[in-house]
Every structure is written in structure tokens, then in C-alpha cells.
Amino acid sequence: MMIPLWFKISFTLYVAVVVLVYARKYSLANFLWFSDIALLITVPALWLQSGFLASMATVGVLLPELLWNAGFLGQLLTGRRITGLTDYMFDRSKPLYLRALSLFHVFLPALLLWMIYVFGYAPSAWIAQTLLAWVLLPLTYFFTSPDENVNWVFGPGGKPQKRIPPLLYLGLLMLGFPLLVYLPTHFLLQWLFN
């Protein structure tokens, strides 16, 4: 099954707009978030019709994106803060268009799952995603600020943790993502698509 050209072009233009606006409104560290990387990887995955790239992005973000969606939709429907991951979506000091661009979190999981359905699941994707995380997490730790806390390298949630030494926490995070996020997602995707 081929992906329609109009869809590839539309999605690529959308991602280009997101990148241009985010580069202007946020720091470049924002592009180190796993979800932003998955969004960027989705562009070549679509054009190349690559099951491997689609699988890698899905393994990396499916569970966190589902949690993001639960927090966003829960707060949208109830008015109550659910996870804290989506607080910025309800921050009226941020322009509406900027928050609207972040709605890619809503459709990205479905798009990635559809791409895996079409292209097939690549079982080696979880290993590739783990290797990417092992490069990305230390880079994020050493080159971003604790105030941004990109990929939670300084602590879970919005604030840096102070209970254990920071590098030990980083090491645990580097083990935690592959074991608690990527591997369960890999097993789920393998069960669903193979």
C-alpha cells in the first residue's frame, strides 16, 4: 500500500511549520524531546516508506504520547490537572497558535501505528531506539538547562530531583527508558503486527 503523495506533502509542510515556529519561540533544546525527534523521524519514514524508522519512532514515543493524551484530554474534559505533562497547553500566556502546533501529540501515535500497519513492524527498532536514547540523554543532560528538564534528565516532572546523585539518576534513566518504555512497547507492537 502506497502512502498518497498529498499526505506526504501535507505532513512535511506541517512539520516544517512546527520546526520554524518552535525554533523561533523555544530554545533549540526543545528539539531534543523524544516526541519532537519522533515527529522529525516520521517525515523520512513517510517518504521512504520505512517500517524501520516508523517502528523506531513508535517504540520511542507510543507510551509517553498515550500518557500525554490522557493528561491533555483529561484536563480538557474535567478542568483538572491529570499528569502535568500538558500544563503548557493550558497556559494562556502562550499564544493559541503555538499551543495548537503541539496538537501533533494527539495524532502522532495513531499516524505511527498506521504506518507500522502499512509498512510492517521492524523488531530491531527497539534496539536502535535504545542506542539513540543512550546518545541523546547524556547530550541533553550536558547541553540543556535543568529549568527545561528535557526528557526528564534532571528529574521526573518539571523540577530537578535532589534525592540521588544527578549522574546516577541519569544512568537509571538510561536503563529505565529501554526497560520500562521501549521493551514493553516492542512486545506490544510485535504482538499486534507480526
Side-chain angles (χ1 to χ4, degrees):
M1 179 177 175
M2 299 294 289
I3 304 296
L5 182 61
W6 68 265
F7 184 82
K8 292 177 184 179
I9 292 170
S10 300
F11 184 78
T12 302
L13 289 174
Y14 169 76
V15 173
V17 169
V18 169
V19 168
L20 290 172
V21 172
Y22 278 17
R24 185 154 188 232
K25 294 292 186 179
Y26 296 123
S27 74
L28 292 179
N30 193 72
F31 293 108
L32 295 173
W33 281 102
F34 286 126
S35 56
D36 287 63
I37 289 171
L39 181 69
L40 295 173
I41 287 174
T42 303
V43 173
L46 272 173
W47 285 98
L48 300 172
Q49 302 200 148
S50 170
F52 175 75
L53 290 176
S55 299
M56 192 174 155
T58 308
V59 164
V61 299
L62 182 63
L63 292 180
E65 291 290 13
L66 292 176
L67 185 60
W68 190 98
N69 276 281
F72 175 68
L73 295 173
Q75 189 166 348
L76 190 64
L77 296 173
T78 67
R80 294 183 180 181
R81 184 175 189 245
I82 307 293
T83 64
L85 289 174
T86 59
D87 287 349
Y88 70 97
M89 293 296 287
F90 301 93
D91 181 354
R92 292 179 189 257
S93 70
K94 294 188 186 312
L96 184 59
Y97 76 89
L98 187 59
R99 291 180 281 154
L101 285 175
S102 288
L103 289 174
F104 76 83
H105 293 283
V106 175
F107 65 79
L108 187 61
L111 173 60
L112 289 170
L113 289 170
W114 176 68
M115 290 170 65
I116 290 175
Y117 172 76
V118 173
F119 306 146
Y121 177 64
S124 61
W126 86 271
I127 295 169
Q129 181 62 33
T130 296
L131 294 174
L132 176 63
W134 286 349
V135 170
L136 191 64
L137 290 170
L139 283 175
T140 305
Y141 179 85
F142 289 111
F143 294 107
T144 65
S145 124
D147 294 337
E148 295 167 307
N149 201 15
V150 174
N151 294 323
W152 313 297
V153 294
F154 296 101
K159 296 182 181 177
Q161 63 83 33
K162 298 186 187 303
R163 293 185 179 194
I164 61 176
L167 290 177
L168 176 59
Y169 173 81
L170 177 63
L172 293 172
L173 193 66
M174 291 175 70
L175 291 174
F177 270 109
L179 294 176
L180 302 175
V181 177
Y182 306 156
L183 196 55
T185 305
H186 162 72
F187 288 137
L188 174 66
L189 295 174
Q190 206 166 32
W191 177 73
L192 287 173
F193 296 106
N194 285 335

